[in-house]
Amino acid sequence: MSWSTREIADLAGTSLRAVRHYHEVGLLGEPERRANGYKQYGVAHLVRLLRIKRLVDLGFSLNQIAETVDEGEHPGQALRALDAELAATIERLQRARLELAALIDLRAPADLPTELTPGEATALSETDRSLLLVMTRLMNGEQLQAYGSLVRNLPAHPINREFDELPADAGEPIRQDLVERMVPYLRRLRQDHPDLPDLYTDAPRGEKFVRETMETVLRELYNPAQLDVLHRTHVIMDGSTEPRPGRNDTELP
């Protein structure tokens, strides 16, 4: 007795597409063809296909199956390797479920880690969220916790909206006025969060990499007037000589 491709796929509990793919990658040999050109599969093909299907259901990749399907009754090493992979996957999924539960409970944005969940009074612009999201890839765990405390307790203040809405062609008086009002606000934030770590200290990827990445991100996210305001506030906050009016280069806070 022989079976067609559709019949053997149905008998093995798989799909026509899967059978054809197993042929393409060399897992399943091509059967002989009838006079009319249709394939005719025998028992050996069915047994082989059932073995492949069993390993697929267990979670083996096709590459692993190619190395395992002919090993006999107990491919111990391959099974132990797969078990370790599944254990890691389960752990990752459990962590993901805990984070999802926290996101649902806190009504937090899904794109940010739970450590950076904003407080009820915190209003983050799309630019703020983009900057924070990049920063998560540059910080270590301690830095992430510290910045999370800042985000959760960030007070609502009109200066934030003014900065977000500052046009690229804002004149010198507008920029300087914004700087003079931003500095007291930022100093108060530093006082409220004295333990906030330097983003560049103990950076997992190195200080140079973090500085270059942040410079690139800031220049993409903010317009020239905003960058100028950031630079001026940075210079004043650090106690350096105040920058020349109209300067457009920026240093990171």
Side-chain angles (χ1 to χ4, degrees):
M1 180 178 181
S2 62
W3 299 277
S4 67
T5 307
R6 183 177 300 278
E7 289 171 335
I8 198 171
D10 183 63
L11 191 56
T14 189
S15 65
L16 277 171
R17 183 177 180 181
V19 173
R20 289 167 180 155
H21 186 58
Y22 298 154
H23 285 315
E24 291 173 1
V25 299
L27 279 179
L28 185 64
E30 290 282 352
E32 294 181 358
R33 294 180 180 270
R34 299 187 179 98
N36 59 10
Y38 288 102
K39 295 176 182 177
Q40 53 179 3
Y41 293 87
V43 174
H45 293 100
L46 176 60
V47 170
R48 176 82 171 185
L49 185 56
L50 288 169
R51 284 176 175 165
I52 294 171
K53 177 65 165 54
R54 170 62 175 163
L55 294 175
V56 167
D57 290 345
L58 284 173
F60 280 87
S61 68
L62 294 186
N63 286 337
Q64 290 171 320
I65 292 174
E67 299 172 356
T68 304
V69 70
D70 294 320
E71 286 190 18
E73 295 182 0
H74 188 70
Q77 183 177 350
L79 291 172
R80 285 189 291 272
L82 178 60
D83 182 62
E85 290 179 15
L86 292 176
T89 299
I90 290 170
E91 182 180 355
R92 178 180 59 79
L93 292 174
Q94 288 174 333
R95 288 198 306 268
R97 288 202 67 200
L98 290 174
E99 286 207 30
L100 286 173
L103 290 173
I104 293 170
D105 184 55
L106 298 171
R107 301 179 65 83
D111 56 338
L112 293 175
T114 51
E115 293 92 339
L116 292 178
T117 298
E120 292 184 6
T122 303
L124 294 178
S125 67
E126 182 61 31
T127 300
D128 294 332
R129 288 161 62 110
S130 298
L131 181 60
L132 278 174
L133 192 57
V134 173
M135 288 174 63
T136 63
R137 302 300 304 160
L138 304 175
M139 294 187 286
N140 60 34
E142 181 180 345
Q143 291 169 327
L144 191 60
Q145 293 291 340
Y147 275 90
S149 175
L150 172 64
V151 172
R152 285 191 299 275
N153 297 284
L154 191 65
H157 197 288
I159 200 74
N160 294 321
R161 179 182 292 273
E162 287 186 54
F163 177 78
D164 289 336
E165 296 177 354
L166 185 69
D169 60 353
E172 168 57 26
I174 295 175
R175 298 187 193 192
Q176 185 59 31
D177 175 67
L178 187 57
V179 169
E180 291 173 357
R181 289 183 293 115
M182 279 184 68
V183 168
Y185 169 69
L186 294 175
R187 282 178 174 157
R188 187 163 62 253
L189 287 182
R190 282 193 179 181
Q191 291 172 358
D192 293 342
H193 300 273
D195 298 327
L196 194 67
D198 185 342
L199 182 62
Y200 312 107
T201 302
D202 299 324
R205 302 192 182 196
E207 179 179 340
K208 182 176 183 294
F209 176 82
V210 174
R211 286 190 181 278
E212 290 176 349
T213 301
M214 287 298 291
E215 286 179 5
T216 300
V217 171
L218 288 174
R219 291 182 188 277
E220 287 287 336
L221 292 180
Y222 298 112
N223 65 45
Q226 291 170 320
L227 292 174
D228 183 33
V229 169
L230 285 177
H231 171 75
R232 298 189 197 196
T233 56
H234 165 76
V235 171
I236 295 173
M237 296 285 289
D238 272 13
S240 307
T241 303
E242 186 156 353
R244 297 189 304 274
R247 185 173 176 177
N248 285 329
D249 58 333
T250 183
E251 296 176 21
L252 304 183

